[in-house]
Amino acid sequence: MVTGIIKGPTGKINVSSVDIDANTGDVSIDSATGSITLGATLTDGQTLKLGKNGATEMIFTPHGTAGSEKISLTNTSGTAANAIEIVSSAGSITLSASGNITLTGLPTSDPGSEGALYNDSGTIKISAGGLPLG
């Protein structure tokens, strides 16, 4: 089924939606010289989902009410040390929030892994690595 607005070499073809199924292979979207935009006109309250539901999934949910606008990144059952990994190889990472930043599930004693956070009686600490003292 092909519906929606599809741009081709001769212009646009107007249709109401697009359904692309790849039953036996990958679907690739590439751009050598321009941007790729997905969901730029997504209606408030609707979602843009990337990934398999119940596995690894990112969901963008725009909304007309600021308190209902959300982005979620979920790894449902991954147990690797880097089940969700954010890497900046040459620059920094900025985390900015006008409200709280909440960390749940932190260990309550030094895990002995360099750089790992832990909650020592309400004080967030960073492990130096090696075996915990004490």
Side-chain angles (χ1 to χ4, degrees), residues 8-34:
T10 59
K12 295 181 182 180
I13 302 168
N14 292 316
V15 288
S16 62
S17 65
V18 177
D19 183 5
I20 300 172
D21 293 313
N23 293 324
T24 59
D26 296 335
V27 173
S28 294
I29 300 173
D30 297 312
S31 175
T33 59

Side-chain angles (χ1 to χ4, degrees), residues 4-118:
I5 296 176
I6 300 172
K7 292 183 179 181
T10 59
K12 295 181 182 180
I13 302 168
N14 292 316
V15 288
S16 62
S17 65
V18 177
D19 183 5
I20 300 172
D21 293 313
N23 293 324
T24 59
D26 296 335
V27 173
S28 294
I29 300 173
D30 297 312
S31 175
T33 59
S35 299
I36 296 174
T37 302
L38 299 172
T41 59
L42 189 61
T43 303
D44 283 346
Q46 300 301 308
T47 58
L48 171 61
K49 296 182 179 186
L50 304 174
K52 185 177 180 179
N53 186 291
T56 55
E57 179 178 40
M58 182 172 239
I59 303 174
F60 300 85
T61 309
H63 201 279
T65 305
S68 296
E69 204 154 278
K70 302 173 186 174
I71 298 173
S72 68
L73 174 60
T74 305
N75 183 340
T76 302
S77 58
T79 60
N82 60 344
I84 294 178
E85 183 174 34
I86 300 172
V87 175
S88 176
S89 296
S92 301
I93 294 175
T94 300
L95 179 61
S96 175
S98 63
N100 294 333
I101 296 175
T102 304
L103 302 173
T104 60
L106 293 176
T108 56
S109 61
D110 188 338
S113 178
E114 184 178 358
L117 301 177
Y118 63 102

